[in-house]
Every structure is written in C-alpha cells, then in structure tokens.
C-alpha cells in the first residue's frame, strides 16, 4: 500500500510497520547475497560477527543468543574452527567449558563480508538516488535508528 504525499492524514502506524518490515527484509536478503562469495553461511556470519562485537563466549551463550540448540551451535562453531576463523580456549571461570574467540583470519573474513555489503549498498545508492533522495534516506536512517533504540 503506497501513500501519496499530501493526501489525507497519512499512513497508519500499522501500514508503515508493514511496509518497513517488508523493505528491511528485502534489503537484508540483498545484503546477504552481496557477500555470498565467502564460504560462510548466514548463521556462521552471524556467529562470527557476534564474537567480534561482543568478545569471547561459550557455545551455550552463543546458542542462546542465536536462538538455536547447543548441538547446532557446536556444528556451526566446528565449521568456523575448521576454517581457522574462531579459536577455542578453556573458560577462565570454569575449566570444564571452552570459550570461543574470533581469530585474525576470522576478523579479516568478516571485514571482507562487511565491505562487500557496504560496497553493494553504496553502489546502489549512488546509481539509484540523486542528492535529494540520498538526504531523504539519511533522514530515514536516523528515524529508524531511533525506532530500534541505537
């Protein structure tokens, strides 16, 4: 449902929410596909980013954060570890557990994935939007940040 500027009272909160959720979902799919040259699954990219952003974590902590079962997280971490993207060390608080950390190779891979996404988006913005539209999108980004509490 598209709103015509200047017509009536404007879209309802529900209409805006539906449109925003749909567009953000499509944007996320495009961003994911823009970095598909890496051999990481979306889950592996998410876990690697979480470790990079939040630091060391146990398998159980990561499973909770990613809303998956610990067995699934062990498989994901095993694949990342086999590629040398994460490392395992004893948990300083409980030696029976291990904590996972991102390696330098993992950081480099994550940087390439992030750069591919950013480059695709920057190229799309440059190709599709004029200066006024870019300013409008920048204003919308600020509003969306406010919505998500960033």
């Amino acid at each position: 449902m598209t709103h015509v500027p200047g017509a009536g009272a404007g879209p309802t909160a529900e209409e805006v929410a539906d449109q925003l959720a749909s567009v953000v979902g499509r944007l996320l799919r495009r961003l994911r596909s823009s970095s598909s040259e890496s051999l990481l699954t979306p889950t592996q990219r998410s876990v690697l980013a979480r470790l990079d952003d939040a630091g060391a974590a146990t398998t159980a902590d990561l499973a909770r954060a990613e809303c998956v079962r610990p067995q699934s997280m062990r498989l994901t971490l095993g694949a990342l570890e086999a590629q040398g993207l994460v490392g395992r060390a004893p948990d300083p608080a409980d030696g029976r557990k291990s904590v996972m950390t991102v390696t330098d190779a993992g950081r480099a891979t994550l940087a390439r994935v992030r750069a591919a996404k950013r480059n695709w988006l920057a190229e799309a913005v440059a190709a599709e939007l004029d200066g006024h539209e870019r300013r409008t999108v920048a204003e919308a980004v600020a509003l969306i940040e406010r919505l998500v509490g960033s």
Side-chain angles (χ1 to χ4, degrees):
M1 183 177 293
T2 304
H3 174 68
V4 178
T12 66
E14 291 80 9
E15 290 169 335
V16 171
D18 284 343
Q19 291 171 348
L20 183 58
S22 175
V23 168
V24 168
R26 289 195 323 266
L27 176 61
L28 290 173
R29 284 189 292 281
R30 289 294 302 266
L31 286 169
R32 277 188 218 114
S33 70
S34 71
S35 62
S36 62
E37 81 287 341
S38 79
L39 300 175
L40 299 177
T41 67
T43 301
Q44 290 169 345
R45 285 189 298 240
S46 178
V47 169
L48 200 56
R50 185 175 301 280
L51 287 170
D52 188 49
D53 294 340
T58 65
T59 301
D61 292 338
L62 289 166
R64 275 190 297 279
E66 294 288 322
C67 300
V68 298
R69 294 188 330 229
Q71 299 90 325
S72 297
M73 184 54 63
R74 276 195 285 282
L75 292 173
T76 298
L77 289 169
L80 290 170
E81 193 172 17
Q83 294 177 66
L85 304 179
V86 298
R88 181 183 309 268
D91 185 337
D94 183 348
R96 298 170 295 172
K97 297 179 185 178
S98 295
V99 292
M100 305 303 292
T101 56
V102 65
T103 63
D104 289 341
R107 278 188 201 82
T109 297
L110 193 56
R112 282 193 305 274
V113 167
R114 288 173 171 163
K117 291 177 182 188
R118 185 179 50 252
N119 292 343
W120 171 82
L121 190 53
E123 288 172 11
V125 166
E128 298 295 328
L129 305 177
D130 64 25
H132 174 73
E133 290 169 324
R134 285 193 302 271
R135 282 188 296 278
T136 300
V137 170
E139 291 170 2
V141 167
L143 294 173
I144 292 167
E145 282 182 0
R146 195 169 88 200
L147 285 176
V148 298
S150 294

